[in-house]
Amino acid sequence: MKDAVIILSGGMDSVTLLYDQKDRIALAITFDYGSNHNKREAQFAALHCQRLGIEHLLIPLSFMSRYFKSSLLEGADAIPEGDYASDNMKSTVVPFRNGIMLSIACGIAESRGLTKVLMANHFGDHAIYPDCTSAFVKPMSEAMKAGTYIGVEILAPYTGITKTDIALIGKRLGIDYAETYSCYKGGEKHCGRCGTCLERKEALQQAGIEDPTEYLS
């Protein structure tokens, strides 16, 4: 039974969730909020949806890049390099991004008669992004359920697992991670130096997957 909308960026985590839950997904939504890597990610989101025969919407949120403060919205040079750690990556937080996207996805889900919204946050995000934590996801889900006639709720099955665990799921599913994008700088090739690139490299290595990513360094 197809009962879910998925928020699909086109990165490793959400593409894995797309394939992991494909039998229940009726609609995928990609949000263009003006980040450096939106365009590259969205191309892969569309590719996978076309391959799986899942309807795909690209929804612009241009106001976020105008009014929100984040290095993720300020160009490649603003992105810090080095480990995916709290002090280093805090500047990349887009304030309440997931809250905004989940709210829109919730409204679309109810409009379509779908009762679930899937998101691919994971344990490694928790220290850096407050709207990826279980402390946020659980009450947000409760608010969505209370605020809709059909009781729309969030499904976030990766909340308690690591990116390596997600890569292992992708390995089992046969996902080609060359067809995903992670780099926060948003270039044609992954920079290989920002926190998300380093986290991607580590996850693939620990999962025993030969890294197919093209890096600048």
Side-chain angles (χ1 to χ4, degrees), residues 56-112:
H56 179 235
L57 299 179
L58 178 64
I59 296 180
L61 299 176
S62 57
F63 70 90
M64 293 177 71
S65 63
R66 292 202 300 271
Y67 301 117
F68 288 28
K69 178 69 174 177
S70 170
S71 63
L72 204 60
L73 307 174
E74 296 171 2
D77 291 342
I79 298 298
E81 296 181 358
D83 291 340
Y84 193 84
S86 180
D87 290 343
N88 194 42
M89 296 296 287
K90 192 173 181 180
S91 75
T92 66
V93 172
V94 179
F96 208 61
R97 174 182 60 180
N98 283 345
I100 293 165
M101 294 178 181
L102 285 164
S103 297
I104 295 169
C106 176
I108 293 174
E110 182 162 45
S111 298
R112 299 284 188 104

Side-chain angles (χ1 to χ4, degrees), residues 4-5 8 16 29 50 90 92 106 131 135 140 143 150 163 168-169 180 191 204 216:
V5 171
L8 179 68
T16 302
I29 301 173
Q50 182 179 32
K90 192 173 181 180
T92 66
C106 176
D131 56 359
M140 185 70 182
I150 62 174
K163 198 176 191 78
L168 286 167
I169 294 170
T180 63
C191 75
L204 292 171
L216 289 174

